[in-house]
Coordinates of all heavy atoms in Angstrom, one line a residue:
M8 N 83.6 145.1 107.2 CA 84.3 146.0 108.0 C 85.8 145.7 108.0 O 86.2 144.6 108.2 CB 83.8 146.0 109.5 CG 84.4 146.9 110.4 SD 83.6 146.7 112.0 CE 84.5 147.9 112.9
K9 N 86.6 146.7 107.8 CA 88.0 146.5 107.7 C 88.7 146.7 109.1 O 88.4 147.6 109.8 CB 88.6 147.6 106.7 CG 90.0 147.3 106.5 CD 90.5 148.2 105.4 CE 92.0 148.0 105.4 NZ 92.8 149.0 104.8
R10 N 89.5 145.8 109.4 CA 90.2 145.9 110.7 C 91.4 146.8 110.5 O 92.1 146.8 109.4 CB 90.7 144.5 111.1 CG 89.6 143.6 111.5 CD 90.0 142.3 112.1 NE 91.4 141.9 111.8 CZ 91.8 140.7 111.5 NH1 90.9 139.7 111.5 NH2 93.0 140.4 111.3
P11 N 91.9 147.5 111.5 CA 93.0 148.4 111.4 C 94.3 147.7 111.2 O 95.2 148.3 110.6 CB 93.0 149.2 112.7 CG 92.1 148.4 113.7 CD 91.2 147.6 112.8
D12 N 94.5 146.4 111.5 CA 95.7 145.7 111.3 C 95.8 145.1 109.9 O 96.8 144.4 109.7 CB 95.9 144.7 112.4 CG 94.8 143.6 112.4 OD1 93.7 143.9 112.0 OD2 95.2 142.5 112.8
M13 N 94.9 145.3 109.1 CA 94.9 144.7 107.7 C 95.5 145.6 106.7 O 95.5 146.8 106.8 CB 93.5 144.3 107.3 CG 92.8 143.3 108.3 SD 91.2 142.9 107.8 CE 91.5 141.8 106.5
E14 N 96.1 144.9 105.7 CA 96.7 145.6 104.6 C 95.6 146.2 103.7 O 94.4 145.7 103.7 CB 97.5 144.7 103.7 CG 98.7 144.1 104.4 CD 99.8 145.2 104.7 OE1 100.0 146.1 103.8 OE2 100.4 145.2 105.8
P15 N 95.9 147.3 102.9 CA 94.9 147.8 102.0 C 94.4 146.8 101.1 O 95.2 146.0 100.6 CB 95.6 148.9 101.3 CG 96.7 149.3 102.2 CD 97.1 148.0 102.9
G16 N 93.1 146.7 100.8 CA 92.5 145.8 99.9 C 92.1 144.5 100.5 O 91.4 143.7 99.9
Q17 N 92.5 144.2 101.7 CA 92.1 142.9 102.4 C 90.8 143.2 103.0 O 90.4 144.2 103.4 CB 93.1 142.5 103.5 CG 94.4 142.0 103.0 CD 95.3 141.5 104.1 OE1 95.4 142.2 105.1 NE2 96.0 140.4 103.9
Q18 N 90.0 142.1 103.1 CA 88.7 142.1 103.7 C 88.7 141.3 105.0 O 89.4 140.3 105.0 CB 87.6 141.6 102.8 CG 87.4 142.5 101.6 CD 86.4 142.0 100.7 OE1 85.7 141.0 101.0 NE2 86.2 142.6 99.5
S19 N 88.0 141.6 106.0 CA 87.8 140.8 107.2 C 87.1 139.6 106.8 O 86.1 139.6 106.1 CB 87.0 141.6 108.2 OG 86.8 140.8 109.3
R20 N 87.6 138.4 107.3 CA 87.0 137.1 107.1 C 86.3 136.7 108.3 O 86.9 136.4 109.3 CB 88.0 136.1 106.7 CG 88.0 135.8 105.3 CD 88.8 134.6 105.0 NE 88.1 133.8 104.1 CZ 88.6 132.9 103.4 NH1 89.9 132.6 103.4 NH2 87.9 132.1 102.6
L21 N 85.0 136.7 108.3 CA 84.3 136.2 109.5 C 84.1 134.7 109.4 O 83.9 134.2 108.3 CB 82.9 136.9 109.6 CG 83.0 138.4 109.8 CD1 81.6 139.0 109.6 CD2 83.6 138.7 111.1
P22 N 84.2 134.0 110.5 CA 84.1 132.5 110.4 C 82.7 132.1 110.1 O 81.7 132.8 110.3 CB 84.5 132.1 111.8 CG 84.2 133.3 112.7 CD 84.4 134.5 111.8
L23 N 82.6 130.9 109.6 CA 81.4 130.1 109.4 C 81.3 129.2 110.6 O 82.3 128.7 111.1 CB 81.4 129.4 108.1 CG 81.6 130.2 106.8 CD1 81.9 129.2 105.7 CD2 80.3 131.0 106.6
I24 N 80.0 128.9 111.0 CA 79.8 127.9 112.0 C 79.0 126.8 111.5 O 77.9 127.0 110.9 CB 79.0 128.6 113.2 CG1 79.9 129.7 113.8 CG2 78.7 127.6 114.3 CD1 79.1 130.6 114.8
V25 N 79.5 125.6 111.7 CA 78.7 124.3 111.4 C 78.0 123.9 112.7 O 78.6 123.6 113.7 CB 79.7 123.2 110.9 CG1 78.9 121.9 110.7 CG2 80.4 123.6 109.7
R26 N 76.7 124.0 112.7 CA 75.9 123.7 113.9 C 75.0 122.5 113.6 O 74.3 122.4 112.6 CB 75.0 124.9 114.2 CG 74.2 124.7 115.5 CD 73.7 125.9 116.1 NE 74.8 126.7 116.6 CZ 74.8 128.0 116.8 NH1 73.7 128.7 116.6 NH2 75.9 128.6 117.3
Q27 N 75.1 121.5 114.5 CA 74.5 120.3 114.3 C 73.9 119.8 115.7 O 74.6 119.8 116.7 CB 75.5 119.3 113.8 CG 75.0 118.0 113.3 CD 76.1 117.1 112.8 OE1 77.3 117.4 113.0 NE2 75.7 116.1 112.1
A28 N 72.6 119.4 115.7 CA 72.0 119.0 116.9 C 72.7 117.8 117.6 O 73.1 116.9 116.9 CB 70.6 118.6 116.6
G29 N 73.0 118.0 118.8 CA 73.7 117.0 119.6 C 75.2 117.0 119.6 O 75.8 116.2 120.2
Y30 N 75.8 118.0 118.9 CA 77.2 118.0 118.7 C 77.7 119.5 118.9 O 77.0 120.4 118.7 CB 77.6 117.6 117.3 CG 77.3 116.2 117.0 CD1 76.1 115.9 116.4 CD2 78.2 115.2 117.3 CE1 75.7 114.6 116.1 CE2 77.8 113.8 117.0 CZ 76.6 113.6 116.4 OH 76.3 112.3 116.1
P31 N 79.0 119.6 119.4 CA 79.5 121.0 119.5 C 79.6 121.7 118.2 O 79.8 121.0 117.1 CB 80.9 120.8 120.2 CG 81.0 119.4 120.4 CD 79.9 118.6 119.8
D32 N 79.5 123.0 118.2 CA 79.7 123.8 116.9 C 81.1 123.6 116.4 O 82.1 123.4 117.2 CB 79.5 125.3 117.2 CG 78.0 125.6 117.4 OD1 77.2 124.8 117.2 OD2 77.8 126.8 117.8
I33 N 81.3 123.7 115.1 CA 82.6 123.7 114.5 C 82.8 125.0 113.8 O 82.0 125.4 113.0 CB 82.7 122.5 113.4 CG1 82.5 121.2 114.1 CG2 84.1 122.5 112.8 CD1 82.4 120.0 113.1
I34 N 83.9 125.7 114.1 CA 84.2 127.0 113.4 C 85.1 126.7 112.2 O 86.2 126.0 112.3 CB 85.0 127.9 114.4 CG1 84.2 128.0 115.7 CG2 85.2 129.3 113.7 CD1 82.8 128.6 115.6
V35 N 84.7 127.2 111.0 CA 85.5 127.0 109.8 C 85.6 128.3 109.1 O 84.9 129.3 109.4 CB 84.8 125.9 108.9 CG1 84.8 124.5 109.6 CG2 83.4 126.3 108.5
E36 N 86.5 128.3 108.0 CA 86.6 129.5 107.2 C 86.1 129.4 105.8 O 85.9 130.4 105.1 CB 88.1 129.9 107.2 CG 88.6 130.4 108.5 CD 90.1 130.9 108.4 OE1 90.6 131.1 107.3 OE2 90.6 131.2 109.5
T37 N 85.9 128.2 105.3 CA 85.5 128.0 103.9 C 84.4 126.9 103.8 O 84.2 126.1 104.7 CB 86.7 127.5 103.0 OG1 87.1 126.2 103.4 CG2 87.8 128.5 103.1
L38 N 83.7 126.9 102.7 CA 82.7 125.9 102.5 C 83.4 124.5 102.4 O 82.8 123.5 102.9 CB 81.9 126.2 101.2 CG 81.1 127.4 101.2 CD1 80.4 127.6 99.8 CD2 80.0 127.4 102.3
A39 N 84.5 124.4 101.8 CA 85.3 123.2 101.6 C 85.6 122.6 103.0 O 85.4 121.4 103.3 CB 86.5 123.4 100.8
E40 N 86.1 123.5 103.9 CA 86.4 123.0 105.3 C 85.1 122.6 106.0 O 85.2 121.6 106.8 CB 87.1 124.2 106.0 CG 87.6 123.7 107.4 CD 88.2 124.8 108.2 OE1 88.2 126.0 107.8 OE2 88.8 124.5 109.3
A41 N 84.0 123.3 105.8 CA 82.8 123.0 106.5 C 82.3 121.6 106.1 O 82.0 120.7 106.9 CB 81.7 124.0 106.2
S42 N 82.4 121.3 104.8 CA 82.0 120.0 104.3 C 83.0 118.9 104.8 O 82.5 117.8 105.2 CB 82.1 120.0 102.7 OG 81.8 118.7 102.2
R43 N 84.3 119.2 104.7 CA 85.2 118.2 105.2 C 85.1 117.8 106.7 O 85.1 116.7 107.0 CB 86.7 118.7 104.9 CG 87.8 117.7 105.3 CD 89.1 118.3 105.0 NE 89.4 119.6 105.6 CZ 89.7 119.8 106.9 NH1 89.8 118.7 107.7 NH2 89.9 121.0 107.4
R44 N 84.9 118.9 107.5 CA 84.8 118.6 108.9 C 83.5 117.9 109.3 O 83.5 117.0 110.2 CB 84.9 120.0 109.7 CG 86.2 120.7 109.5 CD 87.3 120.2 110.4 NE 87.0 120.2 111.8 CZ 87.2 121.2 112.6 NH1 87.7 122.3 112.2 NH2 86.9 121.0 113.9
Y45 N 82.4 118.2 108.6 CA 81.1 117.5 108.8 C 81.3 116.0 108.4 O 80.9 115.2 109.2 CB 80.1 118.2 107.9 CG 78.8 117.4 107.9 CD1 77.8 117.6 108.8 CD2 78.5 116.4 106.9 CE1 76.6 116.9 108.8 CE2 77.3 115.7 106.9 CZ 76.4 115.9 107.9 OH 75.2 115.2 107.9
C46 N 82.0 115.8 107.3 CA 82.2 114.4 106.8 C 83.1 113.6 107.8 O 82.9 112.4 108.1 CB 82.7 114.3 105.4 SG 81.5 114.8 104.2
E47 N 84.1 114.3 108.3 CA 85.0 113.6 109.3 C 84.2 113.2 110.6 O 84.3 112.1 111.1 CB 86.1 114.6 109.7 CG 87.2 114.8 108.7 CD 88.2 115.9 109.0 OE1 88.0 116.6 110.0 OE2 89.1 116.0 108.2
R48 N 83.3 114.1 111.0 CA 82.5 113.8 112.2 C 81.5 112.7 111.9 O 81.4 111.7 112.7 CB 81.7 115.1 112.6 CG 80.8 114.8 113.8 CD 80.0 116.1 114.1 NE 80.7 116.9 114.9 CZ 80.4 118.2 115.3 NH1 79.3 118.7 114.8 NH2 81.1 118.9 116.1
R49 N 80.9 112.7 110.7 CA 80.0 111.6 110.3 C 80.8 110.3 110.3 O 80.3 109.3 110.8 CB 79.5 111.9 108.9 CG 78.6 110.9 108.3 CD 78.5 110.9 106.8 NE 79.9 110.7 106.2 CZ 80.3 111.2 105.0 NH1 79.5 112.0 104.3 NH2 81.5 110.9 104.6
D50 N 81.9 110.3 109.7 CA 82.7 109.0 109.6 C 83.1 108.5 111.0 O 83.2 107.3 111.2 CB 83.9 109.2 108.7 CG 83.5 109.5 107.2 OD1 82.3 109.2 106.9 OD2 84.4 109.9 106.5
Q51 N 83.5 109.4 111.9 CA 83.9 109.0 113.2 C 82.8 108.4 114.0 O 83.0 107.5 114.9 CB 84.5 110.2 114.0 CG 85.8 110.7 113.5 CD 86.3 112.0 114.1 OE1 85.6 112.7 114.8 NE2 87.5 112.4 113.7
T52 N 81.5 108.9 113.8 CA 80.4 108.4 114.5 C 79.9 107.0 114.0 O 79.4 106.2 114.8 CB 79.2 109.3 114.5 OG1 78.7 109.3 113.1 CG2 79.5 110.7 115.0
G53 N 80.1 106.7 112.8 CA 79.7 105.5 112.2 C 78.2 105.4 112.0 O 77.6 104.4 111.7
L54 N 77.5 106.5 112.2 CA 76.0 106.6 112.0 C 75.6 106.7 110.5 O 76.4 107.2 109.7 CB 75.4 107.8 112.8 CG 75.6 107.8 114.3 CD1 75.1 109.1 114.9 CD2 74.9 106.6 114.9
G55 N 74.5 106.1 110.2 CA 74.0 106.2 108.8 C 73.2 107.4 108.6 O 72.9 108.2 109.5
A56 N 72.8 107.5 107.3 CA 72.0 108.7 106.9 C 70.7 108.9 107.7 O 70.3 110.1 107.9 CB 71.7 108.6 105.4
S57 N 70.1 107.9 108.1 CA 68.8 108.0 108.8 C 69.0 108.5 110.3 O 68.1 109.0 110.9 CB 68.0 106.7 108.8 OG 68.7 105.7 109.5
T58 N 70.2 108.4 110.8 CA 70.4 108.7 112.2 C 71.4 109.9 112.4 O 71.5 110.5 113.5 CB 70.9 107.5 113.0 OG1 72.1 107.0 112.4 CG2 69.8 106.5 113.2
F59 N 72.3 110.2 111.4 CA 73.2 111.3 111.6 C 72.6 112.5 111.0 O 72.2 112.6 109.8 CB 74.5 111.0 110.8 CG 75.6 111.9 111.1 CD1 76.3 111.9 112.3 CD2 76.0 112.9 110.2 CE1 77.3 112.8 112.6 CE2 77.1 113.8 110.5 CZ 77.7 113.7 111.7
P60 N 72.4 113.6 111.8 CA 71.6 114.8 111.4 C 72.4 115.6 110.4 O 73.6 115.7 110.5 CB 71.4 115.5 112.7 CG 72.5 115.1 113.6 CD 72.9 113.7 113.2
D61 N 71.6 116.3 109.6 CA 72.2 117.4 108.7 C 72.7 118.5 109.6 O 72.4 118.5 110.8 CB 71.1 118.0 107.8 CG 70.7 117.1 106.7 OD1 71.3 116.0 106.5 OD2 69.7 117.4 106.0
A62 N 73.5 119.3 109.1 CA 74.0 120.5 109.9 C 73.6 121.8 109.2 O 73.3 121.8 108.0 CB 75.5 120.4 109.9
T63 N 73.5 122.8 110.0 CA 73.2 124.1 109.5 C 74.5 124.9 109.5 O 75.3 124.9 110.4 CB 72.2 124.8 110.5 OG1 71.0 124.1 110.5 CG2 71.9 126.2 110.0
L64 N 74.7 125.7 108.4 CA 75.9 126.5 108.2 C 75.5 127.9 108.5 O 74.5 128.5 107.9 CB 76.4 126.4 106.8 CG 77.7 127.0 106.5 CD1 78.9 126.4 107.3 CD2 78.1 126.9 105.0
L65 N 76.1 128.6 109.5 CA 75.8 129.9 109.9 C 76.9 130.9 109.5 O 78.1 130.5 109.6 CB 75.5 130.0 111.4 CG 74.4 129.1 111.9 CD1 74.5 129.1 113.4 CD2 73.1 129.6 111.5
H66 N 76.5 132.1 109.2 CA 77.5 133.2 108.9 C 76.9 134.4 109.6 O 75.8 134.9 109.3 CB 77.7 133.4 107.4 CG 78.7 134.5 107.1 ND1 78.3 135.8 106.8 CD2 80.0 134.5 107.1 CE1 79.4 136.5 106.6 NE2 80.4 135.7 106.8
E67 N 77.6 134.9 110.6 CA 77.1 136.0 111.4 C 75.7 135.7 112.0 O 74.8 136.6 111.9 CB 77.1 137.3 110.6 CG 78.5 137.8 110.3 CD 78.5 139.2 109.6 OE1 77.6 139.4 108.7 OE2 79.3 140.0 110.0
D68 N 75.5 134.6 112.5 CA 74.2 134.1 113.0 C 73.0 134.1 112.0 O 71.9 134.1 112.4 CB 73.8 135.0 114.3 CG 74.7 134.7 115.4 OD1 75.2 133.6 115.6 OD2 74.9 135.7 116.2
I69 N 73.4 134.1 110.8 CA 72.4 134.0 109.7 C 72.6 132.6 109.0 O 73.7 132.3 108.7 CB 72.5 135.1 108.7 CG1 72.2 136.5 109.4 CG2 71.6 134.9 107.5 CD1 72.6 137.7 108.5
V70 N 71.5 131.9 108.8 CA 71.6 130.6 108.2 C 72.0 130.8 106.7 O 71.4 131.5 105.9 CB 70.3 129.8 108.2 CG1 70.4 128.5 107.4 CG2 69.9 129.6 109.7
A71 N 73.2 130.2 106.4 CA 73.7 130.4 105.0 C 73.6 129.1 104.2 O 73.8 129.2 103.0 CB 75.2 130.8 105.1
G72 N 73.3 128.0 104.8 CA 73.2 126.8 104.1 C 72.9 125.6 105.0 O 72.8 125.7 106.2
R73 N 72.8 124.4 104.4 CA 72.5 123.2 105.1 C 73.4 122.2 104.5 O 73.6 122.1 103.3 CB 71.0 122.8 104.8 CG 70.7 121.4 105.4 CD 69.3 121.0 105.0 NE 69.1 120.9 103.6 CZ 69.4 119.8 102.9 NH1 69.9 118.7 103.5 NH2 69.2 119.7 101.6
I74 N 74.1 121.4 105.4 CA 75.0 120.3 105.0 C 74.3 119.0 105.1 O 73.8 118.6 106.2 CB 76.3 120.3 105.8 CG1 76.9 121.7 105.8 CG2 77.3 119.3 105.2 CD1 78.2 121.8 106.7
S75 N 74.2 118.3 104.0 CA 73.5 117.0 104.0 C 74.5 115.9 104.3 O 75.7 116.1 104.3 CB 72.8 116.8 102.6 OG 73.7 116.8 101.6
Y76 N 73.9 114.7 104.5 CA 74.7 113.5 104.9 C 75.9 113.3 104.0 O 77.0 112.9 104.5 CB 73.8 112.3 105.0 CG 74.6 111.1 105.4 CD1 74.8 110.9 106.8 CD2 75.0 110.1 104.5 CE1 75.5 109.7 107.2 CE2 75.7 109.0 105.0 CZ 75.9 108.8 106.3 OH 76.6 107.7 106.8
N77 N 75.8 113.5 102.8 CA 76.9 113.3 101.8 C 78.0 114.4 101.8 O 78.9 114.3 101.1 CB 76.4 113.0 100.4 CG 75.5 114.2 99.9 OD1 75.6 115.3 100.4 ND2 74.8 113.9 98.8
G78 N 77.8 115.4 102.6 CA 78.7 116.5 102.7 C 78.5 117.7 101.8 O 79.2 118.7 101.8
R79 N 77.5 117.6 100.9 CA 77.1 118.7 100.0 C 76.5 119.8 100.8 O 75.7 119.5 101.8 CB 76.2 118.2 98.9 CG 77.0 117.3 97.9 CD 76.1 117.0 96.7 NE 76.9 116.1 95.8 CZ 76.7 114.8 95.7 NH1 75.7 114.2 96.3 NH2 77.4 114.1 94.8
I80 N 76.7 121.0 100.4 CA 76.1 122.2 101.1 C 75.1 122.8 100.1 O 75.3 123.1 99.0 CB 77.2 123.2 101.5 CG1 78.2 122.6 102.4 CG2 76.5 124.4 102.1 CD1 79.4 123.4 102.7
W81 N 73.9 122.9 100.7 CA 72.7 123.4 99.9 C 72.2 124.8 100.4 O 72.5 125.2 101.5 CB 71.6 122.4 100.1 CG 71.9 121.0 99.7 CD1 72.5 120.1 100.5 CD2 71.8 120.4 98.4 NE1 72.8 118.9 99.8 CE2 72.4 119.1 98.5 CE3 71.4 120.9 97.2 CZ2 72.4 118.3 97.4 CZ3 71.4 120.0 96.1 CH2 71.9 118.7 96.2
H82 N 71.5 125.4 99.5 CA 70.9 126.7 99.9 C 69.9 126.4 101.1 O 69.4 125.3 101.2 CB 70.0 127.3 98.7 CG 70.9 127.8 97.6 ND1 71.5 129.0 97.7 CD2 71.3 127.2 96.5 CE1 72.2 129.2 96.6 NE2 72.1 128.1 95.8
P83 N 69.7 127.4 102.0 CA 68.9 127.2 103.2 C 67.4 127.2 102.9 O 66.7 127.8 103.7 CB 69.4 128.3 104.1 CG 69.8 129.4 103.2 CD 70.4 128.7 102.0
I84 N 67.0 126.7 101.9 CA 65.6 126.6 101.6 C 65.2 125.1 101.3 O 66.1 124.3 101.1 CB 65.2 127.4 100.3 CG1 66.0 127.0 99.1 CG2 65.4 128.9 100.6 CD1 65.7 127.6 97.8
P85 N 64.0 124.7 101.4 CA 63.6 123.3 101.2 C 64.1 122.8 99.8 O 64.0 123.5 98.8 CB 62.1 123.3 101.3 CG 61.8 124.5 102.2 CD 62.8 125.5 101.8
W86 N 64.7 121.6 99.8 CA 65.2 121.1 98.6 C 64.1 120.7 97.6 O 63.0 120.3 98.0 CB 66.0 119.8 98.9 CG 66.6 119.2 97.7 CD1 67.8 119.4 97.2 CD2 66.1 118.1 96.9 NE1 68.1 118.7 96.1 CE2 67.0 117.8 95.9 CE3 64.9 117.4 97.0 CZ2 66.8 116.9 94.9 CZ3 64.7 116.4 96.0 CH2 65.6 116.2 95.0
R87 N 64.4 121.0 96.3 CA 63.5 120.6 95.3 C 64.2 119.9 94.2 O 65.4 120.1 94.0 CB 62.9 121.9 94.6 CG 62.0 122.7 95.6 CD 61.6 124.0 94.9 NE 62.8 124.6 94.4 CZ 63.1 125.9 94.5 NH1 62.2 126.7 94.9 NH2 64.2 126.4 94.0
P88 N 63.6 118.9 93.5 CA 64.3 118.2 92.4 C 64.9 119.2 91.4 O 64.3 120.2 91.1 CB 63.2 117.4 91.8 CG 62.2 117.2 92.8 CD 62.2 118.5 93.7
G89 N 66.1 119.0 91.1 CA 66.9 119.9 90.2 C 67.7 120.9 90.8 O 68.5 121.5 90.2
D90 N 67.6 121.1 92.2 CA 68.4 122.0 92.9 C 69.9 121.5 92.8 O 70.2 120.3 92.8 CB 68.0 122.1 94.3 CG 66.8 123.0 94.6 OD1 66.3 123.6 93.6 OD2 66.4 123.0 95.7
K91 N 70.8 122.5 92.7 CA 72.2 122.2 92.7 C 72.8 122.7 94.0 O 72.4 123.8 94.5 CB 72.9 122.9 91.5 CG 72.4 122.4 90.2 CD 73.3 122.8 89.1 CE 72.8 122.4 87.7 NZ 72.3 121.1 87.5
P92 N 73.8 122.0 94.6 CA 74.4 122.5 95.8 C 75.2 123.7 95.6 O 75.7 124.0 94.5 CB 75.3 121.3 96.2 CG 75.5 120.5 95.0 CD 74.4 120.7 94.1
I93 N 75.4 124.5 96.7 CA 76.3 125.7 96.6 C 77.7 125.3 96.8 O 78.6 126.0 96.4 CB 75.9 126.8 97.6 CG1 75.8 126.3 99.0 CG2 74.5 127.4 97.2 CD1 75.6 127.4 100.1
Y94 N 77.9 124.1 97.3 CA 79.3 123.5 97.4 C 79.1 122.0 97.2 O 78.3 121.3 97.9 CB 80.0 123.8 98.7 CG 81.3 123.1 98.7 CD1 82.4 123.6 98.1 CD2 81.5 121.8 99.4 CE1 83.7 123.0 98.1 CE2 82.7 121.2 99.4 CZ 83.8 121.8 98.8 OH 85.0 121.1 98.7
D95 N 79.7 121.4 96.2 CA 79.6 120.0 95.9 C 81.0 119.3 96.2 O 81.9 119.4 95.3 CB 79.2 119.8 94.5 CG 78.8 118.3 94.2 OD1 79.2 117.4 95.0 OD2 78.2 118.1 93.1
N96 N 81.1 118.6 97.3 CA 82.4 118.0 97.6 C 82.7 116.9 96.7 O 83.9 116.6 96.4 CB 82.4 117.5 99.1 CG 81.3 116.5 99.4 OD1 80.3 116.4 98.6 ND2 81.4 115.8 100.4
A97 N 81.7 116.2 96.1 CA 82.0 115.2 95.1 C 82.7 115.7 93.8 O 83.6 115.2 93.3 CB 80.7 114.4 94.7
A98 N 82.2 116.9 93.4 CA 82.8 117.5 92.2 C 84.2 118.0 92.5 O 85.0 118.0 91.6 CB 81.9 118.7 91.8
C99 N 84.5 118.3 93.7 CA 85.9 118.8 94.1 C 86.9 117.6 94.1 O 88.1 117.9 94.0 CB 85.8 119.5 95.4 SG 84.8 121.0 95.3
R100 N 86.4 116.4 94.3 CA 87.3 115.3 94.3 C 87.8 114.9 93.0 O 88.8 114.1 92.8 CB 86.6 114.1 95.0 CG 86.6 114.2 96.5 CD 86.2 112.9 97.1 NE 85.0 112.3 96.6 CZ 83.8 112.3 97.2 NH1 83.7 112.8 98.4 NH2 82.8 111.8 96.7
G101 N 87.1 115.2 91.9 CA 87.4 114.8 90.6 C 87.3 113.3 90.4 O 86.3 112.7 90.7
D102 N 88.4 112.7 89.8 CA 88.3 111.3 89.5 C 89.0 110.4 90.6 O 89.4 109.3 90.4 CB 89.1 111.1 88.2 CG 88.3 111.7 87.0 OD1 87.1 111.7 87.1 OD2 89.0 112.2 86.1
Q103 N 89.2 111.0 91.8 CA 89.8 110.2 92.9 C 88.8 109.1 93.3 O 87.6 109.3 93.5 CB 90.1 111.1 94.1 CG 91.1 112.1 93.8 CD 91.4 113.0 95.0 OE1 90.7 112.8 96.1 NE2 92.2 113.9 94.9
P104 N 89.3 107.9 93.4 CA 88.4 106.8 93.8 C 88.0 106.9 95.3 O 88.7 107.5 96.1 CB 89.3 105.5 93.6 CG 90.7 106.0 93.7 CD 90.7 107.5 93.2
E105 N 86.8 106.4 95.6 CA 86.3 106.4 97.0 C 87.1 105.4 97.8 O 87.6 104.4 97.3 CB 84.9 106.0 97.0 CG 83.9 107.0 96.3 CD 83.6 108.1 97.3 OE1 83.6 107.9 98.5 OE2 83.4 109.2 96.8
R106 N 87.4 105.7 99.0 CA 88.1 104.8 99.9 C 87.2 104.2 100.9 O 86.2 104.7 101.4 CB 89.1 105.6 100.7 CG 90.2 106.1 99.8 CD 91.3 106.8 100.6 NE 92.1 107.6 99.8 CZ 93.2 108.1 100.1 NH1 93.7 107.9 101.3 NH2 93.9 108.8 99.3

């Protein structure tokens, strides 16, 4: 839906919501931001993979993906061997060393 205050050719950008049990929702605009903000929260808690919950990514109240402990975003279906993430934060870092 086009807003009246937008220039011709622009599309309305609806936010994405990162929803995670036990934590407040995070509103983001991109998959990269969703991954980054999830990882920031993970790092701030100091919890490990067995205790820090995955997050659900919502778009207009529809489940659009799942964010795993490593910050990758997956299709909202059960994971199967060989599946590729819809957003891979590791691939976006390139050759930057881990800190």
Side-chain angles (χ1 to χ4, degrees):
M8 178 176 182
K9 188 175 172 196
R10 294 187 339 219
D12 62 329
M13 297 180 76
E14 294 293 322
Q17 287 184 322
Q18 294 180 9
S19 175
R20 256 193 135 156
L21 297 173
L23 300 168
I24 298 172
V25 177
R26 182 160 292 159
Q27 189 178 16
Y30 298 90
D32 288 351
I33 302 172
I34 309 298
V35 299
E36 292 187 10
T37 65
L38 296 178
E40 184 182 9
S42 175
R43 180 179 56 77
R44 298 280 304 275
Y45 173 89
C46 290
E47 287 171 356
R48 178 183 275 172
R49 177 202 64 207
D50 295 346
Q51 288 171 355
T52 67
L54 297 175
S57 64
T58 53
F59 191 71
D61 287 354
T63 300
L64 187 65
L65 301 169
H66 182 260
E67 295 186 313
D68 292 326
I69 297 170
V70 176
R73 176 184 62 82
I74 307 176
S75 60
Y76 182 79
N77 57 16
R79 290 187 178 106
I80 302 176
W81 303 89
H82 290 280
I84 56 175
W86 182 85
R87 296 173 307 220
D90 281 355
K91 296 194 184 319
I93 56 177
Y94 177 81
D95 188 347
N96 60 340
C99 295
R100 282 195 305 256
D102 295 325
Q103 295 177 359
E105 293 280 329
R106 293 184 196 192

